[in-house]
Amino acid sequence: MTRQYCPNCHYPQSACICAAITKMTVKTEVIVMQHPSETKHAKNSVRLMQLVMPKLRVEVGENQQDFVELRAYLSEQSKPIYLLYPNDNSQSAAEANAPKDCILLLLDGTWKKAYRMLQLNPWLLELPALHLDVANASKYTIRKAKREDSLSTLEATAMVLNELDRQLDTQPLFAALEAMVQHRLQAMPKDVQQRYQTK
């Protein structure tokens, strides 16, 4: 029997999260540079972001050639552009005083793949970089990460948007993530489910 998918959220009907989706409008222009390996990943949080933030722009690629159109677009913009990526020269998003009406670039992939994207796109290193001061563990418990300060792209986006605009309610992003995580956990065998819940 063919699995039925929700025409709105595109998740299986049994894992439909439409009831948890509330659309957001943000003043910050968010652009996700997504590694190709993430596009088909069932646990990829950018899918959720697209449901909550209809104006989100996602550019899939890895090397400079993949992002030619994006670079051309960015070169025409007058708004400041920031890259969310921790490095030796990055500023804390909480202290950078970046305007909320800016362009924010995020790299979507594992730490290893995001780092490779950065090396293949040296033009990104010319942008002012922001980092997050992560105090709490990720709620994205269904996907493993080697670093304790790892966040899903959705969580990182929500956190930095809150630093740029303290009046912005980013709860819709977390609600969507929670709904997806719970569906995933419920679909797991009990013994596997317990391993994720006790992480």
Side-chain angles (χ1 to χ4, degrees):
M1 183 179 292
T2 304
R3 175 178 274 191
Q4 299 297 309
Y5 287 82
C6 173
N8 297 313
C9 70
H10 305 295
Y11 282 90
Q13 288 284 10
S14 60
C16 173
I17 59 169
C18 287
I21 299 299
T22 301
K23 295 190 185 302
M24 284 176 57
T25 299
V26 300
K27 293 185 178 180
T28 306
E29 183 177 351
V30 181
I31 301 175
V32 175
M33 296 172 63
Q34 185 175 58
H35 191 277
S37 65
E38 292 292 318
T39 58
K40 302 295 184 183
H41 203 298
K43 299 176 184 177
N44 178 24
S45 68
V46 172
R47 291 177 63 187
L48 299 173
M49 292 170 61
Q50 290 175 303
L51 295 171
V52 177
M53 300 168 58
K55 292 186 177 181
L56 178 72
R57 179 170 176 170
V58 180
E59 297 287 339
V60 179
E62 185 178 29
N63 56 48
Q64 291 197 67
Q65 192 60 38
D66 297 327
F67 299 113
V68 169
E69 290 186 12
L70 174 60
R71 291 185 68 187
Y73 170 76
L74 294 175
S75 69
E76 297 171 351
Q77 305 309 304
S78 57
K79 294 185 288 187
I81 304 168
Y82 296 89
L83 173 69
L84 184 64
Y85 193 90
N87 60 41
D88 292 341
N89 299 314
S90 61
Q91 284 185 288
S92 166
E95 301 172 355
N97 293 318
K100 55 190 173 185
D101 184 21
C102 68
I103 298 175
L104 180 67
L105 297 180
L106 295 101
L107 304 181
D108 181 51
T110 62
W111 277 110
K112 184 176 181 179
K113 289 173 181 174
Y115 180 74
R116 177 168 171 76
M117 289 172 69
L118 195 65
Q119 299 307 304
L120 292 175
N121 293 273
W123 58 275
L124 289 172
L125 299 172
E126 299 172 7
L127 300 173
L130 303 176
H131 66 255
L132 294 166
D133 298 315
V134 181
N136 300 311
S138 170
K139 298 183 185 300
Y140 201 19
T141 54
I142 57 172
R143 193 163 180 185
K144 296 178 181 178
K146 293 182 179 179
R147 290 176 49 155
E148 291 185 3
D149 62 346
S150 292
L151 296 172
S152 66
T153 301
L154 179 149
E155 291 172 305
T157 300
M159 287 182 65
V160 74
L161 288 176
N162 261 149
E163 297 294 1
L164 297 175
D165 185 356
R166 292 290 185 177
Q167 304 303 312
L168 181 66
D169 179 11
T170 55
Q171 186 55 36
L173 285 167
F174 291 110
L177 181 66
E178 176 65 16
M180 192 266 278
V181 167
Q182 290 306 313
H183 276 301
R184 288 281 170 183
L185 287 173
Q186 291 167 13
M188 295 176 182
K190 288 295 183 182
D191 58 329
V192 177
Q193 189 179 116
Q194 288 176 353
R195 289 206 301 269
Y196 281 96
Q197 290 176 324
T198 56
K199 280 179 62 178

